[in-house]
Amino acid sequence: MNDFLAIADHSPDEIRGLLERAATLKKEFQGGGNQPILKGKSLAMVFQKPSLRTRVSFEMGMQHLGGHAIYIGPSEIGLGQRESIADVAGVLEGYVDGIMARVFDHQHVLDLAQWSDVPVINGLSDYNHPCQALSDALTIQEHMKQDQKIKVTYVGDGNNVAVSLMHISAKLGWDFTIANPQGFDMSKQAIEVGESIAKESGSHITRLTDPVEAIQDADVIYTDTWTSMGQEEETKKREAVFPPYQVNAALLAKAKPTTIVMHCLPAHRGHEITDEVADGPQSALFPQAHNRLHAQKAILAELLSDA
Ligand code: CP
Ligand code: NVA
C-alpha cells in the first residue's frame, strides 16, 4: 500500500487487514499504550477546510505511535495557488515521512500523491472520505455479530461520506442502500465504481428516494450534513428540500429495534438528525468518532512504519 486516497483503490483483503490492525491497536492502546513503531516519523497535515476529528485524531495517533504531526492550516500553503501542488509535494517529501491532506478538489490529493515520494492520505476531498469509512466499518463490525448479513442505509445527501461508505460496504460484502432527494445523487462515476465492486463481492446497492423504504431491515442508518463544506451558498435551497430526510424518532421507530444510528459529525442537530436520536440508545455517534483514532493509526502504521 503506497497511499490511502480512496476505498476503491484497495482490495477487500487490504481493507480487512487494516480493520484487524485497527482493532489490535485499539486493544493495545486501551490496555496501557502502543509500541512506538513510528518513532522519529513525522506527518504533515495539510488542511484546506476546517476539522476537529481528523486533525486531532491524526495528531494523537502519531503521538501514540511515537511520531510527530505538523498542522498546516488553510491560509498557510495556498495549495495550487501560492505554490503549485508539485512544488508543495516536492518540498514536503524532504521534511516529513507522510502527508495527510484535506482538500476541496479530489484531483489535489491525487496530484500530491503523484508528485511526492512519501505516502499521501486523503483526509477528505469533495469526492470521498476514506478514513471516515474505514473507521465506520470498524464501528459497524464492533456493533454487529460475526458473520451477520449487514445492511447499511444512508439517508440524505449523496456526498463524499456517502460515496466512501458505499464503496467500503461493497468491498466488505455488505448491502448498501441510499435514500436521497432527486437531484442530490452520488456522482455517476462513484455509483459505477460502487456497482462494479458490489458485482465482485456479491453485495447489493440500492438507490431510492423514499427514506422509509430505505431503512426497512437496515442494521445501520447513517446520515450526514445536508450542506457540505464548500457548498455553503446552496444552504437555503438544500434546507428546503431535505427535511423529509431528517433522521428522527419517527423514522427510527420504523426501523428494527437493533438498528444503530451513525453520523460522521459535525452534526447539525435539528436538521439532518434530532437530539433525541443523536443522544438516544441506538446512537453510535461518539464511539464512531473515537474509532477515527484507531482506524487511522492502522493506516499510519501500514504506510509509515519500517517494520
Ligand atoms: N468527520 C470528520 O471528518 O470530522 P472533522 O471535519 O471534524 O475532521
Ligand atoms: N460531508 C461533510 C463531511 C464533513 C466531515 C463535508 O464534506 O463537509
Side-chain angles (χ1 to χ4, degrees):
M1 205 180 283
N2 297 320
D3 300 295
F4 192 73
L5 307 177
I7 293 297
D9 297 341
H10 303 286
S11 68
D13 280 349
E14 278 175 339
I15 291 169
R16 285 195 192 95
L18 284 171
L19 289 168
E20 272 167 36
R21 193 159 195 176
T24 305
L25 286 165
K26 180 172 180 176
K27 224 179 186 169
E28 200 180 286
F29 176 66
Q30 290 172 337
N34 295 119
Q35 298 301 313
I37 53 172
L38 297 185
K39 192 169 188 301
K41 301 282 182 180
S42 53
L43 178 77
M45 307 191 296
V46 176
F47 282 92
Q48 287 187 324
K49 299 173 178 172
S51 169
L52 169 65
R53 281 144 290 272
T54 305
R55 177 185 175 172
V56 180
S57 55
F58 266 106
E59 186 158 345
M60 290 313 297
M62 283 301 287
Q63 194 171 313
H64 290 174
L65 298 176
H68 179 70
I70 303 158
Y71 172 75
I72 306 160
S75 59
E76 287 169 87
I77 290 194
L79 205 63
Q81 287 166 351
R82 179 171 183 262
E83 206 163 352
S84 77
I85 294 178
D87 286 356
V88 169
V91 170
L92 284 177
E93 71 181 12
Y95 299 152
V96 297
D97 303 289
I99 301 169
M100 189 279 292
R102 165 167 287 195
V103 299
F104 287 96
D105 186 347
H106 184 64
Q107 189 59 43
H108 289 178
V109 280
L110 300 179
D111 291 346
L112 273 175
Q114 184 192 334
W115 294 107
S116 96
D117 282 343
V118 296
V120 174
I121 299 169
N122 178 3
L124 177 137
S125 68
D126 286 350
Y127 175 60
N128 67 357
H129 197 357
C131 294
Q132 182 70 54
L134 189 72
S135 318
D136 294 341
L138 179 66
T139 309
I140 292 169
Q141 280 186 340
E142 286 172 346
H143 282 80
M144 303 292 146
K145 292 190 198 82
Q146 232 181 347
D147 300 325
Q148 179 185 337
K149 182 92 188 108
I150 295 172
K151 173 179 170 179
V152 176
T153 293
Y154 180 99
V155 176
D157 185 29
N159 63 15
N160 41 13
V161 169
V163 165
S164 295
L165 187 68
M166 169 175 68
H167 289 171
I168 204 158
S169 297
K171 286 274 178 190
L172 295 171
W174 302 343
D175 289 342
F176 177 84
T177 298
I178 183 168
N180 60 268
Q182 247 172 8
F184 295 91
D185 301 298
M186 296 178 287
S187 74
K188 203 165 160 270
Q189 186 217 347
I191 295 166
E192 278 169 14
V193 170
E195 277 168 355
S196 104
I197 301 169
K199 210 167 160 191
E200 276 177 41
S201 70
S203 85
H204 295 99
I205 293 176
T206 310
R207 295 186 298 119
L208 303 169
T209 51
D210 179 3
V212 175
E213 187 184 348
I215 62 154
Q216 296 310 307
D217 300 322
D219 300 293
V220 177
I221 298 176
Y222 200 118
T223 191
D224 183 19
T225 183
W226 296 336
T227 307
S228 286
M229 292 181 276
Q231 300 174 327
E232 288 78 6
E233 77 285 357
E234 293 179 20
T235 304
K236 275 217 156 66
K237 177 179 119 188
R238 287 169 173 269
E239 280 177 0
V241 172
F242 276 95
Y245 293 82
Q246 183 184 67
V247 176
N248 53 31
L251 184 70
L252 197 52
K254 298 189 174 95
K256 296 195 291 194
T258 51
T259 305
I260 60 165
V261 176
M262 299 179 74
H263 187 312
C264 60
L265 303 177
H268 304 80
R269 287 163 175 257
H271 286 79
E272 73 272 7
I273 193 163
T274 57
D275 285 338
E276 203 180 357
V277 171
D279 301 325
Q282 286 162 268
S283 170
L285 269 56
F286 291 103
Q288 159 185 21
H290 298 160
N291 272 341
R292 294 290 300 277
L293 178 66
H294 311 294
Q296 288 160 194
K297 279 162 71 175
I299 299 168
L300 290 167
E302 176 67 32
L303 292 177
L304 268 58
S305 160
D306 297 323

